[in-house]
Amino acid sequence: MGRDPRAAVAVALLRLCLAQANFAPHFLDSGNMALFSLPEDTPVGSHVYTLNGTDPEGDPVSYHISFDPSTRSVFSVDPNFGNITLVEELDREREDEIEAVISISDGLNLVAEKVTILVTDANDEAPSFIREPYMVQVPEDIPPGSSLIKVHAVDKDTGSGGSVTYFLQATVFAVDRHSGVLRLRAGATLDYEKARAHVVTVVAKDGGGRLRGADVVLSATTTVTVNVEDVQDMAPIFVGTPYYGYVYEDTLPGSEVLTVVAMDGDRGKPNQILYSLLNGSDGAFEINETSGVISVMQSPAQLRRDVYELHVQVTEVSSAGVPAAQAMVPVTVRIVDLNNHPPTFYGESGPQNRFELSMYEHPPQGEILRGLKITVNDSDQGANAKFNLRLVGPGGIFRVVPLTVLNEAQVTIIVENSAAIDFEKSKVLTFKLLAIEVSTPEKFSSTADVVIQLLDTNDNVPKFTSHYYIARIPENAPGGSNVVAVTAVDPDTGPWGEVKYSIYGPGADPFLIHPSTGLIYTQPWASLDAEATARYNFYVKAEDTEGKYSLAEVFVTLLDVNDHSPQFGKSVQERTMVLGTPVKIEATDQDAEEPNNLVDYSITHAEPSNVFDIDAHTGEIRLKNSIRSLDALHNMTPGGDFTWSLEVQAKDRGSPSFSTTALLKIDVTDTETLSRSPVAAFLMQTKDNPLKAVAVLAGLMAIIVALTVLISTATFWRNKKSSRVLPVRRVLRQRPSPAPRAVRVEWLRFRRTKAAAKFALKEDPSNENENGNNNGPGSPPPPAAPAPPPAPAAAPRAPRAGPARWAVPTVSGSLSPRQPPRSPQPEAGGPTQSALVSELRQKFEKKGVGNKAHF
């Protein structure tokens, strides 16, 4: 506003100079995407390249990439670091080059370069057949090895991934692996009469290549239909052989006897068939050239033979009218008496060829179907009237009686297999009753249909779809909650197929079942508790209207819900903690399953709060590692009495979580204080476990009883052997002791410290020393007792008021003769102990005499 115009001009000139002096940034050779190529199977989102450039002035540069608006934006770039990322899939077959413009800028100058990125091939295209479908017409007599058709498949990939080889999944044909020409395999032939068409599957595989880091081989399949054309290579075929004809007494000349039927064996393009008689007719028979009908040309009275053996020849005539393949067949014509009555079935109202009956399923074995009134009759006489009966249909269900009939019989059908007569399997059973002559050449026959309508009975038991049903419901499910639906099926019809459900069993009380649908649900009043009963099992019954039933077992598991909070044994607990030894609290959670019944412990309140640690899983409480003596705790105790009150919380791991607290009073002491009074230490240690105290007292009583038995046994044996020991003792005392005697006595005195230390000697209370021994000044000096182990090191602390220190008394003695006591007092240990000591001394002296040579 009040700026000098000359200053403004100077600033403008300065900026112009600076702008002119700013050089443009440029790409480095290793970061300009020159000669950059990328496989087409690169995953989208991959970091594919890093642009790298610099600015002469050292200014920060930014990078950009752009594409032609008509093309896809295949890449994106981080403007700060130049990292290029693939954002769209590549397809070399659609776009093998990508043109892009990369640029670098320092904020003032922008340098752009046009680059071309080459997309390299990956084996991502499967071969594809062209000109499908493939169909070819081939004559059946084509020579083996002939070419039939050529299939062609292309693969858009390059290199080995674009090469195609062909394979067949057939046995009659072969294919050239490289050209795709389909041929008839050497040694193979086609036959129109066996197979009129062949469908061949051709597989085209590429040469394989890399795709997303793996070696892959892609393939395609096509089908080639080879239609086989028929050629004339088969002789005529006769139908209905053997041929028999009959001439009866009433046959008229010119009457048809039988018809010979033949056809060309080549069904695709059959030739015309012509019939002719070769010999054997004697002029009595003729055959129609085109129809094959054989007729008798004379009356039966003029015929001279009973049997005529005729030979009929058939000849194929090609489309050009040239005779081709031929065939011959024998024909037998018999001259017989008149047998013009086949067997005939009769019902109650006359001839009948259909009989119907309704009956219940599963009749008794051997039951006669009395509802069927069937009679069979042949009006001929003699052998012409003899015929067999047969029941044609599902085998083994019924049988017919009689099997052989002469002239006439009543037909009886009997149940053979009752189990097969099942309404649920088949509601209608249909049979044919066949009567066929036995001895006549004509084999006249007749049939009648037997239709049995089955009626249903209640022969099926309702069956469950499963033998077991398993359900799981939460324990807090309200009354009336659905548990599981069971299903039973009764294949019977009508009321017999209706199923009614019920449940029973010791575990069924909390449940109900819908009698029609089979839905099991909880009682309206049911209050399920997984902690009281985690599993129920009971039986479900499916019953029809006549009481037929089946059972299935139901298992119901209650899913635990966190509905109990942890509980301590007491809300206020007292513990005694010895330094270095933890105390343990325990809370129980009545929930049935983890994690609802897992408890974590914590100290919620303590004064001061830095004295104790608690193990969250086990509930063990111990002093912090920095506190190692009572002196360190003395000034921290609120009352100076080494007693703390802690508020301890027990919290379960359920969801939602429940917790409870208890007040814990801890009295801290150390091992030195406990050692002053073993009884007090024991009572203090077993304060929290009364059963342990009871067990220790019981053990002490057992030891006392054992010692009493041992002492009594020793006394018994001493009294038993005393008559032999005393004389030896007297002799030994009167002998003068030899020189080595002193050594032996000293050895006995040393051994006495261990062997006789258990026996108490007479003590003088007036001369009790600091160790509590009663050795007076007139007594011989006892052997030195072993030095006690050093007391555990403890930090010095101020004396505290309490009972006087309790000294552990020790007893020492020797086997030397006792001096008379200064003042009369009862002998410690009593006469029994004195006798035992005397006995022990006597044994030692006896042993010394026996081992005298060793000193």
Side-chain angles (χ1 to χ4, degrees), residues 754-773:
K754 294 183 179 179
K758 65 179 74 174
F759 303 106
L761 302 179
K762 184 183 294 183
E763 298 176 352
D764 187 2
S766 62
N767 295 324
E768 181 176 338
N769 55 23
E770 62 181 1
N771 291 327
N773 295 331

Side-chain angles (χ1 to χ4, degrees), residues 72-245:
R72 300 182 300 158
S73 298
V74 181
F75 302 100
S76 65
V77 65
D78 187 318
N80 296 323
F81 300 101
N83 294 331
I84 293 180
T85 304
L86 181 65
V87 296
E88 289 197 18
E89 290 186 353
L90 301 178
D91 188 355
R92 187 201 63 81
E93 289 73 27
R94 184 178 64 179
E95 186 178 15
D96 59 355
E97 291 184 354
I98 300 173
E99 292 185 350
V101 176
I102 58 174
S103 58
I104 184 171
S105 174
D106 62 357
L108 296 176
N109 300 295
L110 178 68
V111 177
E113 294 183 10
K114 186 175 182 180
V115 296
T116 299
I117 297 106
L118 300 179
V119 180
T120 59
D121 189 36
N123 191 22
D124 62 337
E125 294 288 339
S128 176
F129 286 94
I130 59 176
R131 296 190 298 274
E132 291 184 298
Y134 295 101
M135 299 184 67
V136 62
Q137 298 288 124
V138 179
E140 64 175 329
D141 58 351
I142 186 172
S146 301
S147 299
L148 306 181
I149 192 174
K150 180 179 180 180
V151 297
H152 184 59
V154 295
D155 192 320
K156 297 179 181 179
D157 291 319
T158 61
S160 63
S163 63
V164 178
T165 54
Y166 303 91
F167 303 89
L168 274 188
Q169 296 180 350
T171 57
V172 180
F173 303 94
V175 67
D176 188 281
R177 294 186 59 184
H178 303 290
S179 66
V181 174
L182 186 66
R183 294 185 175 89
L184 183 63
R185 190 181 297 275
T189 59
L190 300 179
D191 190 346
Y192 176 86
E193 285 70 33
K194 292 182 179 179
R196 300 184 181 185
H198 298 269
V199 179
V200 183
T201 301
V202 182
V203 180
K205 295 183 180 180
D206 61 21
R210 304 285 292 180
L211 179 63
R212 295 181 178 85
D215 293 326
V216 296
V217 176
L218 302 179
S219 63
T221 60
T222 189
T223 58
V224 179
T225 302
V226 180
N227 293 318
V228 181
E229 295 181 350
D230 194 16
V231 298
Q232 289 296 325
D233 59 349
M234 298 289 293
I237 300 173
F238 290 96
V239 180
T241 58
Y243 292 109
Y244 294 96

Side-chain angles (χ1 to χ4, degrees), residues 81 138 377 432 472 594 599 626 709 714 779 806:
F81 300 101
V138 179
N377 175 272
K432 280 190 178 295
R472 297 176 177 85
E594 297 181 357
V599 179
S626 59
V709 173
S779 303
W806 180 66

Side-chain angles (χ1 to χ4, degrees), residues 742-756:
V743 179
R744 181 171 60 83
V745 172
E746 291 297 325
W747 176 78
L748 289 175
R749 290 178 180 177
F750 176 75
R751 293 293 301 271
R752 189 257 177 261
T753 59
K754 294 183 179 179

Side-chain angles (χ1 to χ4, degrees), residues 481-733:
S481 299
N482 294 341
V483 178
V484 66
V486 299
T487 304
V489 178
D490 191 329
D492 292 321
T493 58
W496 293 322
E498 297 177 359
V499 179
K500 180 180 179 181
Y501 299 94
S502 60
I503 59 176
Y504 71 94
D509 294 342
F511 304 97
L512 294 173
I513 188 170
H514 194 282
S516 300
T517 65
L519 178 63
I520 299 175
Y521 55 94
T522 58
Q523 295 267 17
W525 49 263
S527 178
L528 305 177
D529 188 356
E531 291 73 39
T533 304
R535 293 175 180 81
Y536 295 88
N537 71 291
F538 50 87
Y539 291 93
V540 59
K541 179 180 181 181
E543 186 176 14
D544 62 17
T545 54
E546 289 190 352
K548 294 184 176 181
Y549 67 91
S550 64
L551 301 177
E553 195 167 4
V554 179
F555 298 89
V556 180
T557 300
L558 299 187
L559 302 178
D560 187 41
V561 176
N562 193 25
D563 55 353
H564 290 82
S565 59
Q567 297 294 327
F568 288 101
K570 297 179 181 179
S571 59
V572 178
Q573 303 185 28
E574 295 183 359
R575 295 285 192 275
T576 298
M577 176 183 289
V578 180
L579 284 177
T581 304
V583 297
K584 184 176 180 180
I585 60 169
E586 187 173 5
T588 57
D589 193 312
Q590 297 300 323
D591 285 313
E593 299 177 0
E594 297 181 357
N596 297 332
N597 60 4
L598 297 180
V599 179
D600 292 330
Y601 302 91
S602 61
I603 297 175
T604 56
H605 180 71
E607 286 294 340
S609 61
N610 58 346
V611 176
F612 298 98
D613 287 328
I614 188 170
D615 189 306
H617 302 299
T618 64
E620 289 186 350
I621 300 175
R622 62 178 71 242
L623 292 170
K624 289 184 175 293
N625 294 333
S626 59
I627 301 175
R628 301 184 178 180
S629 66
L630 292 178
D631 293 334
L633 293 172
H634 181 69
N635 297 327
M636 300 173 64
T637 310
D641 55 355
F642 301 100
T643 302
W644 270 263
S645 294
L646 308 178
E647 185 180 67
V648 181
Q649 181 189 64
K651 183 178 182 180
D652 62 30
R653 300 183 189 177
S655 179
S657 179
F658 295 103
S659 63
T660 185
T661 59
L663 183 62
L664 179 63
K665 295 182 179 180
I666 298 178
D667 184 14
V668 183
T669 184
D670 58 1
T671 55
E672 182 180 352
T673 303
L674 288 176
S675 64
R676 297 174 185 173
S677 175
V679 177
F682 172 75
L683 293 177
M684 190 170 295
Q685 291 177 357
T686 59
K687 177 180 180 181
D688 301 324
N689 192 356
L691 293 178
K692 181 178 180 181
V694 173
V696 172
L697 291 177
L700 290 175
M701 293 178 64
I703 292 173
I704 292 173
V705 171
L707 288 176
T708 303
V709 173
L710 181 62
I711 292 172
S712 300
T713 303
T715 303
F716 169 76
W717 284 104
R718 180 187 63 82
N719 294 334
K720 187 176 180 180
K721 297 179 181 180
S722 58
S723 59
R724 295 191 298 269
V725 172
L726 288 178
V728 175
R729 181 182 59 182
R730 287 195 296 270
V731 172
L732 290 176
R733 282 186 175 181

Side-chain angles (χ1 to χ4, degrees), residues 804-849:
R805 294 172 60 90
W806 180 66
V808 180
T810 61
V811 180
S812 300
S814 66
L815 295 180
S816 58
R818 268 199 165 310
Q819 299 294 332
R822 296 182 180 179
S823 57
Q825 60 180 7
E827 184 180 8
T832 302
Q833 285 190 344
S834 299
L836 290 176
V837 172
S838 176
E839 177 70 18
L840 183 61
R841 185 191 313 128
Q842 181 180 347
K843 289 183 179 181
F844 282 153
E845 291 176 355
K846 181 179 179 182
K847 184 177 181 181
V849 174

